[in-house]
C-alpha cells in the first residue's frame, strides 16, 4: 500500500483496519491478564478468546472489501499478487512443518501462528512486487 | 502489448500524474502501462483512446505485430 494512500479504497481500508487492530491488541492483552495459563474452556474464557478472533475475521473482511472497492486495476493486481504470495508462504511453512511434526520430534507449531506467518508473507509479497514490477509497485 | 502512451503524453507536456488525474487512475498505473508491465483493461483502454481522441489500435499494438509484418 502507498505510504500516503490517495485512493479512497485505501483510506476506507485503513479506517477499518485501525479500530479492528486496536480491538485485537486490547482483547489479547485483556485475555492474557484475565485468563490464567492452561485454563479450562468455559463460557467466560471462550467468550474472551473469541473477541480477538472476531477482530481477525474483521481484518479478513476489510481485505476482501479492499479488493472489491479498489477501482484501479493495476493496484488491485498488486494487492492480489501480495495475497497470493502470502498464502503460498504461510501454506509452505505450515505444511512442511506439519510433516516434520508428523515424522520427527520437532515442537508443535500452534495454529495461532498461521495468521502472523501470512502477514509476514504479505511483506514477502511486497518485495516480490517491487522486484518484478519495479519501484513504482509500492501497493 | 506495446503502446505510444509516453509519446502522446509528452506531446501534451503532461506528467504521469497529470495523465493519471485525467484518467482517474494512480500514477503507478500510468507508469506500469507505459513500461509495458501492465496491460490496461478494455474500459481503461477506451478511456485512454477517448482522452487522446484516437482509436485504441492507434495507441496499443500487439508485441509480435512488427515481427509478423
Amino acid at each position: 500500500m502507498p505510504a500516503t494512500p490517495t485512493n479512497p479504497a485505501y483510506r476506507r481500508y485503513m479506517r477499518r483496519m485501525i479500530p479492528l487492530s486496536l480491538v485485537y491488541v486490547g482483547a489479547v492483552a485483556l485475555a492474557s491478564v484475565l485468563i490464567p495459563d492452561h485454563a479450562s474452556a468455559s463460557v467466560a474464557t471462550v467468550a474472551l478468546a473469541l473477541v480477538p478472533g472476531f477482530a481477525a475475521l474483521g481484518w479478513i473482511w476489510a481485505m476482501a472489501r479492499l479488493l472489491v472497492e479498489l477501482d484501479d486495476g493495476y493496484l488491485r493486481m498488486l494487492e492480489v499478487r501480495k495475497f497470493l504470495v502470502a498464502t503460498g508462504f504461510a501454506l509452505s511453512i505450515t505444511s512442511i512443518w506439519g510433516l516434520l511434526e508428523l515424522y520427527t520430534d520437532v515442537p508443535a507449531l500452534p495454529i495461532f501462528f498461521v495468521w502472523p506467518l501470512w502477514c509476514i508473507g504479505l511483506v514477502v509479497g511486497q518485495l516480490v512486487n517491487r522486484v518484478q514490477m519495479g519501484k513504482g509497485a509500492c501497493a | 502489448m506495446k503502446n505510444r502512451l509516453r509519446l502522446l503524453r509528452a506531446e501534451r507536456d503532461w506528467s504521469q500524474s497529470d495523465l493519471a488525474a485525467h484518467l482517474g487512475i494512480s500514477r503507478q498505473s500510468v507508469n506500469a502501462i507505459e513500461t509495458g508491465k501492465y496491460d490496461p483493461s478494455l474500459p481503461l483502454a477506451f478511456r485512454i483512446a477517448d482522452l487522446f481522441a484516437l482509436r485504441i489500435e492507434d495507441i496499443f499494438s500487439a508485441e509480435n505485430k512488427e515481427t509478423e509484418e
Side-chain angles (χ1 to χ4, degrees):
Chain A
M1 188 189 310
T4 49
T6 52
N7 191 299
Y10 280 127
R11 287 201 294 272
R12 281 195 291 274
Y13 174 73
M14 293 307 292
R15 278 204 301 270
R16 289 163 180 157
M17 288 302 264
I18 290 170
L20 284 167
S21 301
L22 292 174
V23 168
Y24 180 85
V25 171
V28 165
L30 193 66
S32 302
V33 170
L34 295 180
I35 303 176
D37 288 348
H38 309 298
S40 58
S42 67
V43 174
T45 56
V46 169
L48 262 174
L50 283 182
V51 175
F54 282 120
L57 289 183
W59 287 337
I60 295 169
W61 167 78
M63 286 187 281
R65 290 307 306 167
L66 174 66
L67 293 186
V68 171
E69 292 170 5
L70 258 180
D71 53 2
D72 188 309
Y74 176 67
L75 296 181
R76 186 167 56 234
M77 182 196 74
L78 292 179
E79 294 298 337
V80 169
R81 284 167 57 104
K82 255 167 54 181
F83 292 176
L84 285 175
V85 170
T87 303
F89 180 82
L91 285 178
S92 300
I93 290 180
T94 51
S95 54
I96 288 172
W97 195 266
L99 287 167
L100 288 173
E101 282 181 28
L102 203 59
Y103 296 117
T104 71
D105 59 354
V106 296
L109 178 72
I111 294 174
F112 171 83
F113 285 111
V114 172
W115 180 257
L117 279 173
W118 193 83
C119 292
I120 294 170
L122 285 180
V123 178
V124 177
Q126 176 116 4
L127 290 173
V128 170
N129 274 347
R130 185 161 282 223
V131 168
Q132 292 188 344
M133 309 299 284
K135 276 188 178 178
C138 53
Chain B
M1 208 160 57
K2 292 194 308 183
N3 67 77
R4 299 170 51 220
L5 206 54
R6 189 187 296 271
L7 183 72
L8 293 166
R9 180 171 61 78
E11 284 173 359
R12 284 154 184 79
D13 201 22
W14 285 348
S15 66
Q16 287 185 342
S17 298
D18 295 333
L19 178 57
H22 277 96
L23 294 169
I25 59 175
S26 62
R27 189 200 56 76
Q28 297 102 303
S29 298
V30 170
N31 183 59
I33 294 169
E34 283 188 357
T35 52
K37 287 175 179 158
Y38 175 71
D39 293 331
S41 65
L42 195 54
L44 178 56
F46 271 110
R47 289 217 302 275
I48 294 170
D50 284 346
L51 180 66
F52 292 110
L54 292 167
R55 296 177 305 170
I56 289 178
E57 56 266 40
D58 294 331
I59 303 172
F60 297 96
S61 60
E63 200 77 63
N64 57 356
K65 201 170 181 180
E66 279 185 1
T67 54
E68 283 174 2
E69 287 170 354

